[in-house]
Structure formats: C-alpha cells, structure tokens
C-alpha cells in the first residue's frame, strides 16, 4: 500500500504523520531526537513497505535527521516552510501552528501536489565536506567582524590612537600592537627607535615612515579615562585582540584547505574558469550548487534560488517588482560577489553592468542584474560539465572582437 509521510522536525523531538492515498491518517506519533528515537522512526516506517517506496516530506533539505533518512533509503522531499504556512488554511479555519498539524499537512501535500515537489538527491561526500568548510569559514569571518567592531569601539572609548593607527584593526600588526601596548600608559615611552623595532619585527609593509606612524598615534584625541578604568579596558582590549589573533589564524588555515579542496573538484574547476571567480568565491558557489546536475530544472530556477531574480506581483492593472527574500542567501552573496569582481576582467560583464547603471539602477541592483546574466551561462556550463570559454560566448566574443 502506498503511504505518505510528513515529518515536522524539532530540536528535541519530531512529529510524524502517515496517511494513505485517500488522506486517512494511519499513524500519528512523536520520536525523540536521539539514537533510539531515530532507530524507532526507521523501524516503524519500514513496516509499511520498502524505504524506496515511502516518500517523506520535511521542511528542511539538510541536517542529521535528513542524512539518517536518506542513508536508510527513504525518498526525502523538502518542502519550503512557506508552503506549509500557505496550506494551513486549507485544513482548518484557524491558522495556528502545531507540530502534529504541520506533520499532517506535510504528509498530505505530497499526496495532492507531489508532482510539484522534487525528491532530495544526496550530494557527494566531497561536496558535503566543502560545504561544511565554506559555511564554517563564513561564520568565522562574521565573528571576526563582530570582534573587530567590538575592539574598535572599546579603543575609541579610552584610546583612539591605537584604534586608528593601522588601516585594518584585525590585521596581525594591529593586534600585535594592542597586545603589547593595551593602554595609553604602556605606550607613553614609545619613541622612534622602539617603534621602528616593533614595525620591523612585525614586518610592517605600509608606506608611512616611523615618524608618520608615531605622529598619527600622538595626534589622536587625548584619552580621558582614569588609571583604573584605562587599566581595566586595556585588559579587555588585550583579551579581544588575543581572541582575534587566534581567529584570524584559523580562518587562514581554513581558507588554504578550501582553496585546495575546490581545485580538486570538477564542479569547482568549472566555476573557477569564470573571470575573477577566484578560489574562495568559487568554493562558496560550488558548495551551494553541489554536484547533482538535475537539482535545478532551469536557469530561472537557479536564479530564483540564488535570489537574483526579482518577484513580480501582478493583479489587473496593478504590477510591481520586488526584491526576492526567500532564497539561498549564501549563494546570493557568493554569486553577487563574483559578478561584481567579473566586471573588472570581462568587457561583456562591464557592459552589462554599465547598461544597468545607465538605466538608473543602483550598484547592488546592477550587480544582481549582472549576476543573473552570468547564471544563465553558469547553469549551462554546470549542466554540461564544461569550463567557461569566452570564445563560445557570442556576446562576450563580439565585444572582444570590437575591442
């Protein structure tokens, strides 16, 4: 007998609903998110038939629960949370959320609208590893920005000179300076000779002379904090600088590993063949695209997933175009970064960008338009497993010929 399973995932437990082809509830239960609970879930589902014939709808496309079900051989179908939210009024007058109610909706939607849902196909282990590295690095970069802003704000409150001494407060030399001279008092005897030794020891490559660096430090607003306050804030500044130094080092190690990993993947080499894609940006794109070629049915599907295709609202004579909020935000950040860089290396990309700007589009909008244009090409190259060749790109070839 054909059945349909809906699974509303949670942090500590998951609600499960099983319905038959007529929509009748066959079973309704909850399982704990632990080894015994997941084993019990698989055992109970297998009573209804072979795993390959049991579709399971769930609101997320990844995670431990999804991996366990896919590994067991079940057909897992991701359903966007907005789909469940929109379907609630179909089943009850009150649009209130409940775990068991959402599990029933998730089970019934594949029964009635299964042709609209695409079963999940697992990515390769190499793609999963790259995705973990890339997303982890992105999160650490965001943490670095938070700590750098916190450190700058702290220094501005009691020692502005140290905050503006070097261009990047999270650079190794800036962090080394703060750790050695965390308070104005500790740097009060800093003269030309000692500053020159410090700069040489930390391989300072700036264009300013030692006198200019010292002049910048001394021309900053005078600190007003008393001795006890300055000492306390200096200790905190040293602690943040130490944490930032370790974080920056780990990000560098992850970046090196990511660059090596993306170069080993065929999909990575395809993305890297595009102008100014780089390695880190190419890795970010590759990690989100994956290696399942049938995942995106068309270039429009990919553009919508990447958030570079606008949403059009139209009713009668009313029509408006709005920013797409529901998308893979990591993929959008990666493709727009690539598009912005590409216009400095590709005459065709520069032309697309300038035409958008001439129509009155602001920079972010123009970059998204360019990203949408690039995705048309990237989708074809990715599907065909071939690198980008400007000579096979008619628009780029025409501009190159004119130049």
């Amino acid at each position: 007998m054909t059945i349909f399973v809906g699974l509303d995932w949670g942090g500590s437990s998951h609600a499960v609903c099983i319905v038959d082809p007529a929509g009748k509830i066959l079973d309704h239960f909850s399982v704990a998110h632990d080894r015994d609970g997941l084993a019990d879930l698989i055992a109970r589902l297998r009573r209804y038939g072979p795993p390959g014939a049991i579709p399971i709808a769930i609101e997320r496309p990844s995670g431990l629960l999804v991996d366990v079900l896919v590994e067991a051989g079940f057909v897992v179908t991701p359903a966007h949370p907005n789909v469940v939210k929109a379907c609630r009024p179909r089943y009850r007058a009150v649009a209130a959320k409940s775990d068991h109610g959402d599990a029933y909706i998730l089970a019934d939607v594949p029964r009635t609208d299964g042709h609209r849902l695409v079963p999940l196909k697992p990515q390769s282990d190499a793609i999963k590893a790259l995705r973990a590295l890339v997303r982890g690095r992105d999160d650490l970069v965001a943490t670095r920005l938070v700590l750098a802003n916190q450190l700058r704000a702290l220094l501005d409150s009691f020692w502005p000179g140290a905050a503006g001494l070097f261009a990047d407060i999270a650079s190794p030399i800036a962090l080394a300076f703060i750790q050695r001279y965390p308070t104005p008092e500790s740097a009060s005897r800093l003269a030309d000779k000692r500053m020159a030794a410090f700069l040489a020891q930390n391989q300072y490559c700036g264009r300013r002379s030692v006198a200019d660096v010292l002049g910048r430090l001394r021309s900053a607003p005078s600190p007003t904090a008393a001795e006890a306050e300055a000492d306390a804030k200096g200790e905190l500044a040293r602690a943040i600088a130490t944490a930032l130094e370790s974080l920056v080092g780990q990000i560098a190690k992850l970046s090196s590993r990511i660059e090596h990993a993306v170069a080993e993947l065929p999909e990575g080499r395809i993305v890297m063949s595009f102008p100014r894609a780089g390695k880190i940006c190419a890795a970010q794109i590759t990690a989100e695209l994956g290696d399942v070629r049938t995942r995106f049915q068309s270039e429009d599907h990919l553009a919508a997933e990447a958030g570079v295709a606008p949403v059009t609202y139209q009713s009668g004579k009313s029509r408006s175009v709005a920013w797409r909020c529901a998308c893979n935000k990591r993929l959008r950040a990666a493709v727009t970064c690539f598009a912005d860089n590409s216009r400095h290396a590709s005459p065709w990309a520069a032309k697309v960008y300038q035409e958008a700007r001439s129509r009155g589009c602001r920079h972010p909008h123009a970059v998204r338009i360019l990203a949408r244009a690039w995705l048309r090409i990237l989708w074809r190259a990715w599907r065909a497993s071939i690198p980008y060749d400007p000579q096979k790109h008619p628009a780029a070839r025409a501009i190159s010929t004119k130049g």
Side-chain angles (χ1 to χ4, degrees), residues 44-242:
R44 294 180 72 162
L45 292 179
R46 281 177 171 167
R47 297 172 190 169
Y48 292 91
I54 300 177
I56 302 176
I58 189 170
E59 287 181 289
R60 59 184 305 172
S62 61
L64 178 61
L65 177 60
V66 173
D67 292 340
V68 169
L69 292 172
V70 170
E71 186 176 348
F74 293 98
V75 181
V76 179
T77 303
H80 197 279
N82 287 350
V83 173
V84 179
K85 182 179 179 181
C87 287
R88 287 184 189 130
R90 293 171 56 183
Y91 298 91
R92 52 182 179 266
V94 180
K97 182 190 184 309
S98 69
D99 294 342
H100 287 288
D102 285 355
Y104 171 70
I105 294 173
L106 284 167
D108 201 51
V109 166
R111 183 183 70 87
T112 59
D113 300 274
H115 60 287
R116 302 180 185 276
L117 303 176
V118 180
L120 181 67
K121 294 186 178 179
Q123 306 286 348
S124 67
D125 187 49
I127 287 293
K128 290 180 180 179
L130 179 65
R131 182 176 296 173
L133 288 171
V134 166
R135 292 185 174 183
R137 177 189 175 276
D138 289 346
D139 293 339
L140 290 180
V141 169
T143 303
R144 181 186 65 183
L145 179 61
V146 171
L147 286 176
N149 289 338
Q150 183 180 355
L151 179 58
R152 184 179 296 279
L154 177 64
L155 291 174
D156 284 338
S157 70
F158 81 107
W159 194 20
L165 187 60
F166 300 102
D168 182 9
I169 200 170
S171 63
I173 191 171
L175 297 176
F177 182 85
I178 294 168
Q179 291 180 75
R180 183 175 296 187
Y181 306 106
T183 64
E185 177 62 26
S186 63
S188 59
R189 295 185 179 87
L190 197 57
D192 290 3
K193 186 175 181 180
R194 188 172 293 180
M195 177 60 85
F198 171 82
L199 295 178
Q201 181 181 357
N202 290 275
Q203 301 177 346
Y204 177 65
C205 58
R207 297 181 180 179
R208 293 185 176 87
S209 63
V210 175
D212 289 340
V213 174
L214 274 175
R216 192 171 192 176
L217 183 65
R218 292 166 180 166
S219 64
S222 301
T224 58
E227 182 179 353
E229 181 187 0
D231 184 66
K233 289 186 173 180
E235 189 66 26
L236 181 56
R238 177 180 284 165
I240 297 175
T242 302

Side-chain angles (χ1 to χ4, degrees), residues 3-9 13-20 23-32 40-41 44-45 47-48 57 91-92 97-108:
I3 65 167
F4 301 90
V5 180
L7 202 158
D8 185 69
W9 66 277
S13 64
H14 314 292
V16 184
C17 181
I18 303 174
V19 300
D20 64 11
K24 179 182 177 181
I25 297 178
L26 300 177
D27 201 354
H28 221 165
F29 58 93
S30 296
V31 295
D40 180 54
L41 171 64
R44 294 180 72 162
L45 292 179
R47 297 172 190 169
Y48 292 91
Y91 298 91
R92 52 182 179 266
K97 182 190 184 309
S98 69
D99 294 342
H100 287 288
D102 285 355
Y104 171 70
I105 294 173
L106 284 167
D108 201 51

Side-chain angles (χ1 to χ4, degrees), residues 239-289:
I240 297 175
T242 302
L244 258 176
E245 183 181 40
S246 175
L247 186 60
V248 169
Q250 293 303 317
I251 290 174
K253 289 182 180 179
L254 285 176
S255 298
S256 177
R257 182 170 176 178
I258 289 171
E259 290 174 355
H260 175 75
V262 71
E264 294 293 319
L265 289 171
E267 294 78 17
R269 291 192 291 270
I270 292 172
V271 180
M272 288 169 58
S273 67
F274 284 77
R276 288 284 185 95
K279 290 186 177 180
I280 295 297
C281 187
Q284 292 169 331
I285 296 174
T286 304
E288 300 305 325
L289 285 180

